[in-house]
């Protein structure tokens, strides 16, 4: 029985039981029944509303699990529960979307229907909302689903599925816990799943896409992002620095949409640099439950990866390890780190509280760097921005003088190696729908 290790202490806080092979068999055998059960819109809508209500009532208990298991601060964990609920509420509001899109024109009948059972592989960094953002559109579209959560978010997933059982969705939503690669491969390759949604690293996403290719299932992949943050003429430097710090310290920087590299036009560089370093140095970090601004990264392996990137960066420019460690050592605590060279981060995402800071000659150079990114998930621009300047930026999301780019009612995803497909809004819902064209004579 695997341990759940807390990043706050480095010690076990619980255990989880891998799903037996016989239960996996039973889940797969029941997918067609789940598809039939979701044929009616009311079950979809009522089930999502009930699940949203149940999670909202259990907010504090769920937040405590998130803090203990993945190291989010209590404020961040409570915000995540609210965020998770918002996806379910939005999904409930869209549950009749397929019926509304179906129509009859002359001798043709267009039916918008469920694409079929869905396999949802979810990340650890949003252990609750990362699941609800997938199950909400799946259920709203009429797709029974199997959730394969990260092994680093099992306790939160189990708490969620206790609520699933209480909401009446237990026959159409299933949890499969496993670290066995053979079990994961079996799920990914199964022709019973017609949609596969995965959030995680680009490398793993590409491997999953290859494994799934034999059954030609629909893929929705939100992968890593090497996200630039541009500070251009006209920027409010106080606001830009504050937003950059908040975005990179939230969840200890463990978000695919967090900025990886900051580029500042030369006339603003020194003033912005001072604000950024000073702000990061005020960040308290350590165990998430000890009143700090920033909790730890999730694993010791993540600490080593950040240390490696720090060492590689030191050879190219100054490295600033900042912040104030408080509340004890914190097993996997890592200081906010700014490196004054983008050399090590041009081709690798720092999944943690590390960011590069680079001076560029002018806005044309900054925009050209952003336009050339292939792992294009999110881009942030601060300053006076003309509409034509964003035309060449092909990112799933672009924040102009803001880093608040996500929500249940907006589509998010990536270009290039940052992924395919979209999550959120009606665009995300339609990933789980397809059409049947009937002509009657």
């Amino acid at each position: 029985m695997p341990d759940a290790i807390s990043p706050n202490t480095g010690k076990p806080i619980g255990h989880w039981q891998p799903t037996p092979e016989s239960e996996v068999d039973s889940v797969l055998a029941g997918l067609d029944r789940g598809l039939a059960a979701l044929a009616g819109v009311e079950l979809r809508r009522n089930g999502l509303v009930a699940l949203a209500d149940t999670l909202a009532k259990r907010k504090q208990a769920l937040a405590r699990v998130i803090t203990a298991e993945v190291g989010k601060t209590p404020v961040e964990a409570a915000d995540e529960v609210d965020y998770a609920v918002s996806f379910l509420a939005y999904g409930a509001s869209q549950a009749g979307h397929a019926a509304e899109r179906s129509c009859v024109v002359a001798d043709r009948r267009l039916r918008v229907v469920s694409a079929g059972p869905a396999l949802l592989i979810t990340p650890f960094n949003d252990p609750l909302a990362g699941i609800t953002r997938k199950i909400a559109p799946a259920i709203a579209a009429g797709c029974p689903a199997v959730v394969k959560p990260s092994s680093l978010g099992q306790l939160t997933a189990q708490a969620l599925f206790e609520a699933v059982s209480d909401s009446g969705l237990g026959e159409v939503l299933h949890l499969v816990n496993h670290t066995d690669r053979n079990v994961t491969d079996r799920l990914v390759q199964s022709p019973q799943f017609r949609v596969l949604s995965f959030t995680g690293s680009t490398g793993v996403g590409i491997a999953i896409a290859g494994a799934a290719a034999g059954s030609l299932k629909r893929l929705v992949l939100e992968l890593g992002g090497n996200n630039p943050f541009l500070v251009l003429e006209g920027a409010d430097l106080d606001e830009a620095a504050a937003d950059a710090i908040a975005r990179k310290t939230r969840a200890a920087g463990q978000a695919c949409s967090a900025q990886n590299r900051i580029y500042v036009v030369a006339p603003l560089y020194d003033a912005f640099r001072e604000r950024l370093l000073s702000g990061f140095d005020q960040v308290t970090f350590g165990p998430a439950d000890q009143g700090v601004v920033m909790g730890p990264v999730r694993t010791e392996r993540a600490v080593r990866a950040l240390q490696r990137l720090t060492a590689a960066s030191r050879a190219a420019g100054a490295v600033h390890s900042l912040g104030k460690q408080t509340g004890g050592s914190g097993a996997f605590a890592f200081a906010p780190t700014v490196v004054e060279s983008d050399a090590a981060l041009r081709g690798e995402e720092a999944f943690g509280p590390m960011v590069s800071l680079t001076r560029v000659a002018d806005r044309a150079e900054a925009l050209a760097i952003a336009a050339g990114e292939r792992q294009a998930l999110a881009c942030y621009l601060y300053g006076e921005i003309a509409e034509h300047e964003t035309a060449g930026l092909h990112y799933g999301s672009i924040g102009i003088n803001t880093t608040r780019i996500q929500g249940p009612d907006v589509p998010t995803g990536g270009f290039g190696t940052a992924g395919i497909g979209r999550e959120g809004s009606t665009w995300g819902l339609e990933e789980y729908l397809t059409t049947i064209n009937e002509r009657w004579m």
Side-chain angles (χ1 to χ4, degrees), residues 341-363:
S341 166
D342 67 349
L345 299 185
R346 288 176 202 154
E348 186 170 354
E349 178 185 9
F351 203 64
M354 179 180 183
V355 67
S356 66
L357 176 65
T358 305
R359 184 196 310 260
V360 293
D362 52 32
R363 67 194 300 125

Side-chain angles (χ1 to χ4, degrees), residues 140-342:
C143 301
V146 172
V147 175
K148 163 61 175 69
S150 167
S151 61
L152 301 175
Q154 292 285 349
L155 301 185
T156 306
Q158 289 175 5
L160 167 60
F161 269 80
E162 290 173 5
V164 166
S165 296
D166 294 342
S167 69
L169 292 173
E171 293 188 3
V172 296
L173 283 176
H174 306 278
L175 179 67
V176 171
N177 298 313
H178 236 293
T179 57
D180 188 329
R181 177 65 180 272
N182 292 328
V183 173
T184 302
D185 286 348
R186 178 187 176 192
L187 295 173
V188 168
Q189 295 168 10
S190 171
Q192 290 179 266
F193 293 112
R194 304 315 308 147
V195 183
L196 190 162
S197 179
F198 167 80
T199 299
S201 70
T202 294
V204 175
I206 290 172
I208 284 176
S215 54
L216 293 179
K217 53 176 60 70
R218 187 178 298 183
L219 298 177
V220 183
L221 308 176
E222 186 183 90
L223 308 179
N226 198 343
N227 309 316
F229 186 110
L230 312 183
V231 183
L232 310 177
E233 291 86 353
D236 181 323
L237 297 186
D238 290 329
E239 180 182 24
D243 284 0
I245 293 163
R247 191 68 190 86
K248 199 59 179 177
T249 54
R250 189 179 308 131
Q254 298 167 114
C256 296
S257 56
Q259 77 274 18
N260 203 45
R261 299 163 296 147
I262 301 175
Y263 296 96
V264 187
V265 293
L268 304 180
Y269 183 83
D270 290 339
F272 181 82
R273 174 184 180 276
E274 180 182 358
R275 287 167 170 79
L276 188 74
L277 297 184
S278 175
F280 269 127
D281 207 34
Q282 299 306 308
V283 173
T284 56
F285 67 99
D289 54 359
Q290 297 299 309
V292 296
V293 170
M294 186 182 79
V297 294
R298 181 63 185 88
T299 64
E300 186 177 6
R301 180 181 178 182
V303 172
R304 292 197 300 269
L306 291 166
Q307 290 171 338
R308 175 181 55 77
L309 283 172
T310 300
S313 299
R314 189 169 284 115
V319 173
H320 306 275
S321 183
L322 303 163
K324 298 174 174 59
Q325 190 163 356
T326 62
S329 61
F332 306 138
F334 192 86
T337 301
V338 177
V339 298
E340 293 195 67
S341 166
D342 67 349

Side-chain angles (χ1 to χ4, degrees), residues 43-66:
L43 175 62
R44 308 177 202 175
R45 181 181 294 117
N46 293 342
L48 289 171
V49 168
L51 182 55
D53 289 346
T54 301
L55 295 188
K57 291 174 182 175
R58 300 178 185 179
K59 178 177 176 177
Q60 294 306 316
L62 287 165
R64 286 193 293 271
V65 176
I66 293 169

